[in-house]
Amino acid sequence: MKVQLWDNKDFLAGLLMIGIGAIAFFMALDYPFGSALRMGPGYFPRVLAGILIVFGVYVGWRGLRAAEQVEGVWGWKALAFITVSLWVFGWLMDRVGLIPSLVVLFFVSALAGHEFKIKEVIILATVMILFAWAVFIYGLGLPYRLFWWD
Amino acid sequence: MEIFNNLIFGFSVALSLQNLIYCFVGVFVGTAIGVLPGVGPLVTIAMLLPLTFNLPPIPALIMLAGIYYGSQYGGSTTSILMNLPGETASVVTCIDGYQMAKQGRAGPALAIAAIGSFAAGSVGTLLIALFGPPLAEAALKFGASEYFSLMLMALVAAACLSSGDMVKSLAMVVLGLLLGIIGTDVNSGMARFSFGIAELTDGMGFTVIAVGLFAVSEIVKNLETKERGDVFTSKIKNIMPTVADLKSSFWPIVRGTAVGSFFGALPGTGPAISSFSAYMVEKKASKTPERFGKGAIEGVAGPESANNAAAQTAFIPTLTLGIPGSGTMALMLGALTIQGIAPGPQVMTSKPDLFWGLIASMWIGNAMLVVLNLPLVGMWVQLLKIPYRWLFPSIIMFCAVGNYSINNSAMDLYLVGIMGILGYILVKLECPPAPLILGFVLGPLMEENLRRALLISRGDPTVFFTRPISLAFMIASAAILFTMIMPSIRKRKIEAYEGGGGGGP
């Protein structure tokens, strides 16, 4: 069976390493390189980025030779909801207080699951928010307001 | 005997009511969370680390240590009962443990795991007390070149002996080192890789990386496929192992403890390689190797003792050299730093109450685990009945509030999200994240020591090979690298990790 490039595990891994290595290398060009005796801030990063690119080339080449498929399916939907729930929580915490932020966190992250039962999520969010209040605010004394009017 | 005086001093610290309570809370919470599928010790600690920030240093460290071996232990419970390893170290326990459970011998399997862990933990604790002080003394003589070579060895060992592909693991170490550079360069004051974000000039937080790479990616991976419904529900009876069980487990426990103590103390390696090696050793030592994979109690006793011994002796390099041997140990060191204590060989002399108190509390914690787990195993099993769709939003909540509370900044959460995406892609492409996190922690230390060593030697790189201790570390790193490249050994490593395969993911 022919494995497509975008489904080729090692080829993609190599590509990722080369990409990150290249970005790091070009960014590090702005930092003085120095010499082995007096290393500048650019020395270590540039050497590391170079090594990462070499590894990337090797892994990618190996992938082209012996193509292996990525196992299982990609969970993009779950990844998106979980990531967004974290981002939105952070953004809201600065603005509206703990409780509304957590409510949004629960509803958005629960969408990442296979089943979304609104009643269950409401109960889960209520119980866990009470728990969070008990642990973080009451127990640990973290200085967060609960709502935006506090 | 000085060591006994030290241990007695340690117990006097650990037995104070306050410390006992924190030890108990740590072990209890650690076990409870460790039992949950897909939550290993690293994520548990990363998640709960912020809870300890407001405590004084000693209770904080005692509680974290409790969480650590509690969650390690919780992982073996799920391996035996459900064939679900919480993390790599307990994958081998699944092989024979789950078979025993299917044959109605879950009780003895759990009991032997507990007894083996306790015995191994006690030996491990003693070893720390025995080897810690002389090692710390030797470490005081370490210069920059010795530290650099030691860290190089740790990274090479972590990459070569991890369960994944060696080249990818090495690449992950390098990626970790690069991520560790983010922040302000100590020598020049220059902000590197900060992408113009003010928060990044202080470097990326450790928990940000740990939660992103491990917790988020693990949850997403679990959500790829539908929930599995088969939970072991039948009652566990006959906890007590028979005399024959105890007899056949004795030597496996001894051998497992030895294997685990060795790998645990070696920086860069840890519980995972220990339990895999112990399983291999037991299979080799057994007169009836064909029973393995079909519910041999030795296959539970050996690896379980090994991973607990390793979990204990991992504290040796961490506490005496200030060099963490694994991601989990790096978190412990991070906790120490947050408490305002600079890790390193001086901790033992400047904070003897912390050092010896922690060691004594580990023994007490291990004893609590036995008491807590055997009678309460039914309760832990109940936890497994919680559907995953309730669990994962709750785990996300802890991760979110915990990370926010460290700097009170939304930026940390944006970064957790980004690290989560990176972590998930890496996991899918089978690039192991564990070496990455070690690289991330050791990166800044390594660069600083490299620069200092070369400054002292006037730019002469041979300094790493002319100083005897440094040379020894260099030879060891090269030896590890070359033996792992050799096809015959590499094949054996793969065999060791696949040892009876089927069980783990």
Side-chain angles (χ1 to χ4, degrees):
Chain A
M1 190 179 69
K2 201 175 177 311
V3 176
Q4 302 292 324
L5 275 188
W6 59 84
D7 217 16
N8 181 327
K9 192 169 64 188
D10 281 3
F11 177 75
L12 291 176
L15 217 58
L16 183 70
M17 292 171 199
I18 296 171
I20 296 177
I23 294 171
F25 190 84
F26 283 112
M27 284 181 76
L29 284 179
D30 290 343
Y31 317 139
F33 192 70
S35 63
L37 170 59
R38 281 190 192 282
M39 279 183 198
Y43 194 104
F44 203 57
R46 264 190 257 178
V47 171
L48 289 177
I51 298 174
L52 188 60
I53 293 171
V54 172
F55 278 135
V57 170
Y58 174 76
V59 172
W61 169 76
R62 203 179 59 180
L64 287 178
R65 254 188 8 167
E68 277 182 65
Q69 228 172 338
V70 177
E71 265 176 58
V73 287
W74 288 88
W76 293 123
K77 192 194 101 185
L79 183 64
F81 280 116
I82 300 270
T83 310
V84 168
S85 75
L86 288 165
W87 285 344
V88 173
F89 173 80
W91 190 81
L92 287 175
M93 269 302 272
D94 286 351
R95 289 164 179 81
V96 297
L98 182 70
I99 290 178
S101 310
L102 280 178
V103 170
V104 175
L105 175 112
F106 270 98
F107 276 89
V108 177
S109 68
L111 285 168
H114 295 281
E115 292 173 84
F116 184 86
K117 296 178 185 160
I118 190 90
K119 268 187 202 154
E120 263 186 28
V121 180
I122 291 171
I123 296 168
L124 179 70
T126 315
V127 173
M128 288 313 290
I129 288 170
L130 278 174
F131 185 65
W133 172 82
V135 173
F136 292 109
I137 307 286
Y138 183 77
L140 293 171
L142 294 180
Y144 303 135
R145 47 191 187 156
L146 297 177
F147 292 98
W148 56 90
W149 58 79
D150 279 340
Chain B
M1 283 290 279
E2 207 191 333
I3 161 173
F4 286 110
N5 289 336
N6 284 333
L7 280 178
I8 288 166
F9 172 59
F11 275 103
S12 73
V13 175
L15 284 172
S16 79
L17 185 66
Q18 186 202 22
N19 289 340
L20 272 180
I21 291 173
Y22 282 113
C23 185
F24 177 78
V25 171
V27 170
F28 188 85
V29 175
T31 314
I33 298 184
V35 164
L36 305 177
V39 190
L42 186 80
V43 172
T44 312
I45 298 182
M47 219 164 82
L48 300 179
L49 189 64
L51 300 185
T52 65
F53 285 171
N54 296 340
L55 297 177
I58 297 174
L61 263 285
I62 285 179
M63 187 169 146
L64 281 173
I67 292 172
Y68 173 44
Y69 41 76
S71 60
Q72 179 105 6
Y73 188 86
S76 41
T77 307
T78 44
S79 304
I80 293 170
L81 293 182
M82 293 177 67
N83 203 15
L84 270 186
E87 31 116 33
T88 15
S90 36
V91 169
V92 274
T93 309
C94 290
I95 305 170
D96 281 287
Y98 185 60
Q99 288 302 323
M100 283 182 74
K102 269 169 104 178
Q103 295 159 15
R105 305 211 325 123
L110 289 165
I112 282 296
I115 295 166
S117 296
F118 177 68
S122 310
V123 173
T125 306
L126 211 62
L127 287 175
I128 304 176
L130 214 60
F131 289 109
L135 211 65
E137 207 160 296
L140 285 173
K141 299 193 190 89
F142 279 18
S145 50
E146 280 83 6
Y147 267 113
F148 177 80
S149 310
L150 174 64
M151 285 186 267
L152 189 71
M153 185 185 86
L155 291 178
V156 169
C160 292
L161 299 176
S162 78
S163 57
D165 176 88
M166 193 176 97
V167 182
K168 282 182 181 169
S169 302
L170 283 170
M172 288 305 104
V173 166
V174 177
L175 181 55
L177 290 168
L178 276 170
L179 288 171
I181 288 174
I182 294 175
T184 306
D185 172 36
V186 271
N187 294 46
S188 63
M190 189 173 218
R192 294 186 292 180
F193 298 140
S194 66
F195 298 90
I197 298 166
E199 283 89 343
L200 275 183
T201 53
D202 289 334
M204 184 133 49
F206 189 85
T207 48
V208 167
I209 300 245
V211 166
L213 287 188
F214 290 89
V216 174
S217 65
E218 186 65 42
I219 287 173
V220 176
K221 201 159 165 30
N222 286 337
L223 289 174
E224 277 170 5
T225 43
K226 282 237 153 61
E227 250 176 78
R228 46 184 293 166
D230 54 326
V231 176
F232 187 89
T233 41
S234 68
K235 272 214 158 148
I236 299 155
K237 38 188 190 266
N238 300 330
I239 278 282
M240 282 319 288
T242 60
V243 178
D245 286 339
L246 287 173
K247 249 189 191 156
S248 49
S249 304
F250 179 78
W251 285 109
I253 290 174
V254 173
R255 284 187 291 256
T257 305
V259 170
S261 303
F262 171 74
F263 280 117
L266 213 65
T269 57
I273 185 79
S274 308
S275 56
F276 283 97
S277 308
Y279 192 76
M280 286 298 275
V281 167
E282 286 320 311
K283 222 170 158 180
K284 282 258 150 63
S286 172
K287 286 190 195 98
T288 50
E290 66 278 1
R291 287 192 306 116
F292 281 77
K294 293 175 194 143
I297 199 159
E298 298 94 322
V300 176
E304 278 302 303
S305 315
N307 78 39
N308 212 46
Q312 299 290 315
T313 54
F315 279 94
I316 294 179
T318 311
L319 289 175
T320 59
L321 309 175
I323 306 255
S326 65
T328 334
M329 284 297 121
L331 277 170
M332 300 291 291
L333 273 196
L336 213 60
T337 319
I338 287 164
Q339 297 284 353
I341 300 165
Q346 74 290 342
V347 169
M348 199 177 300
T349 40
S350 66
K351 299 258 172 217
D353 49 343
L354 178 94
F355 183 84
W356 295 106
L358 182 59
I359 289 175
S361 86
M362 287 180 203
W363 190 82
I364 297 171
N366 271 297
M368 281 181 187
L369 271 180
V370 176
V371 178
L372 198 64
N373 277 294
L374 293 183
L376 291 185
V377 77
M379 194 183 91
W380 301 135
V381 176
Q382 293 303 310
L383 273 179
L384 294 172
K385 289 187 182 156
I386 301 174
Y388 197 63
R389 63 177 186 278
W390 299 357
L391 274 183
F392 79 85
S394 313
I395 297 173
I396 291 286
M397 177 194 89
F398 266 93
C399 294
V401 180
N403 265 299
Y404 187 87
S405 73
I406 296 174
N407 291 321
N408 292 333
S409 101
M411 183 51 70
D412 279 350
L413 283 159
Y414 302 155
L415 293 172
V416 171
I418 293 170
M419 281 299 128
I421 296 172
L422 177 69
Y424 179 65
I425 294 174
L426 289 178
V427 167
K428 285 304 277 184
L429 301 178
E430 281 170 44
C431 297
L436 188 155
I437 205 140
L438 199 57
F440 172 76
V441 184
L442 296 183
L445 279 173
M446 248 182 125
E447 183 182 15
E448 211 187 312
N449 282 295
L450 174 68
R451 282 179 171 186
R452 202 182 297 153
L454 288 176
L455 201 62
I456 296 166
S457 75
R458 299 178 176 277
D460 178 10
T462 58
V463 65
F464 298 110
F465 303 97
T466 49
R467 299 184 48 137
I469 301 176
S470 171
L471 178 67
F473 289 140
M474 282 293 184
I475 292 175
S477 332
I480 296 170
L481 206 54
F482 281 115
T483 45
M484 282 303 149
I485 291 171
M486 272 167 31
S488 59
I489 307 259
R490 195 162 64 186
K491 228 179 89 202
R492 275 184 51 192
K493 184 188 104 175
I494 295 166
E495 264 172 34
Y497 273 108
E498 282 168 359

